[in-house]
């Protein structure tokens, strides 16, 4: 009926507009590790759609070919923060910081041929790059969630 249609229309217009969800997009992977990053200098805001998992906490623009073809150079990847143990499962793509810088690699466990012990290694997907041995003082700071196909600054 006409009354029901008017009520439905009133209810729709009374529903509050949902604010778009935004997360920081760091201009470099290193900027994601800064204690006090500066908006407009170290990061911008990225508007994300409902299709982006709620676990997404920040985004990083990837520089380099070590994760090609899975994550191409220039891609924007969605990450969640990693702050507490246990160590992520082998096979997880992680953001790793140490005195050499910041990298995004696959975490793997391998037997050290010299000691015979199982050790964690950071493994690039691209076979043209070598593994990176984690260093004392290094830390995993993020867990890869997904690569964005389309994105725009908020």
């Amino acid at each position: 009926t006409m009354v029901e249609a008017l009520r439905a229309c009133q209810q729709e217009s009374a529903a509050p507009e949902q604010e778009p969800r935004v997360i920081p997009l760091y201009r470099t992977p290193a900027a994601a590790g800064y204690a006090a990053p500066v908006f407009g200098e170290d990061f911008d805001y990225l508007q994300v759609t409902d299709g982006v998992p709620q676990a997404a906490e920040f985004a990083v623009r990837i520089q380099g070919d070590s994760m090609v073809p899975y994550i191409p150079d220039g891609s924007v990847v969605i990450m969640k923060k990693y702050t507490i143990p246990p160590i992520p499962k082998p096979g997880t793509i992680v953001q790793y910081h140490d005195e050499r810088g910041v990298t995004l690699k696959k975490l793997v466990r391998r037997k050290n041929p010299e000691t015979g012990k199982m050790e964690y290694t950071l493994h690039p997907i691209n076979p043209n790059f070598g593994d990176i041995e984690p260093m004392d003082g290094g830390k995993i700071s993020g867990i890869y969630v997904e690569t964005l196909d389309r994105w725009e600054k908020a």
Side-chain angles (χ1 to χ4, degrees), residues 88-94 105-109 120 125:
K89 286 189 243 171
T92 302
I93 294 176
V94 300
K105 299 286 182 281
K106 185 177 184 179
L107 185 66
V108 297
R109 284 194 81 184
Y120 287 97
I125 304 281

Side-chain angles (χ1 to χ4, degrees), residues 3-120:
V3 173
E4 290 170 337
L6 282 170
R7 277 195 193 126
C9 187
Q10 284 176 332
Q11 287 174 346
E12 284 177 21
S13 64
E17 269 297 306
Q18 190 172 358
E19 284 287 317
R21 192 169 129 220
V22 295
I23 59 175
L25 166 61
Y26 293 99
R27 294 188 174 178
T28 65
Y34 293 165
V38 177
F39 175 72
E41 209 173 288
D42 301 319
F43 74 97
D44 296 297
Y45 283 109
L46 178 70
Q47 188 169 328
V48 294
T49 64
D50 291 340
V52 172
Q54 288 297 316
E57 295 180 90
F58 65 97
V60 176
R61 183 184 307 279
I62 299 304
Q63 299 168 338
D65 295 330
S66 69
M67 297 300 281
V68 167
Y70 190 65
I71 303 172
D73 182 30
S75 296
V76 171
V77 297
I78 298 294
M79 306 289 292
K80 65 180 179 179
K81 292 177 183 166
Y82 176 81
T83 54
I84 54 170
I87 291 176
K89 286 189 243 171
T92 302
I93 294 176
V94 300
Q95 178 176 291
Y96 177 80
H97 288 249
D98 67 21
E99 64 189 38
R100 297 169 291 197
V102 182
T103 189
L104 193 77
K105 299 286 182 281
K106 185 177 184 179
L107 185 66
V108 297
R109 284 194 81 184
R110 295 225 168 95
K111 192 176 207 173
N112 181 320
E114 295 171 16
T115 65
K117 293 181 180 176
M118 293 299 287
E119 296 178 349
Y120 287 97

Side-chain angles (χ1 to χ4, degrees), residues 113-140:
E114 295 171 16
T115 65
K117 293 181 180 176
M118 293 299 287
E119 296 178 349
Y120 287 97
T121 301
L122 299 163
H123 180 71
I125 304 281
N126 185 335
N128 295 327
F129 290 80
D131 289 348
I132 296 173
E133 299 299 321
M135 293 178 63
D136 287 341
K139 67 176 191 161
I140 294 170

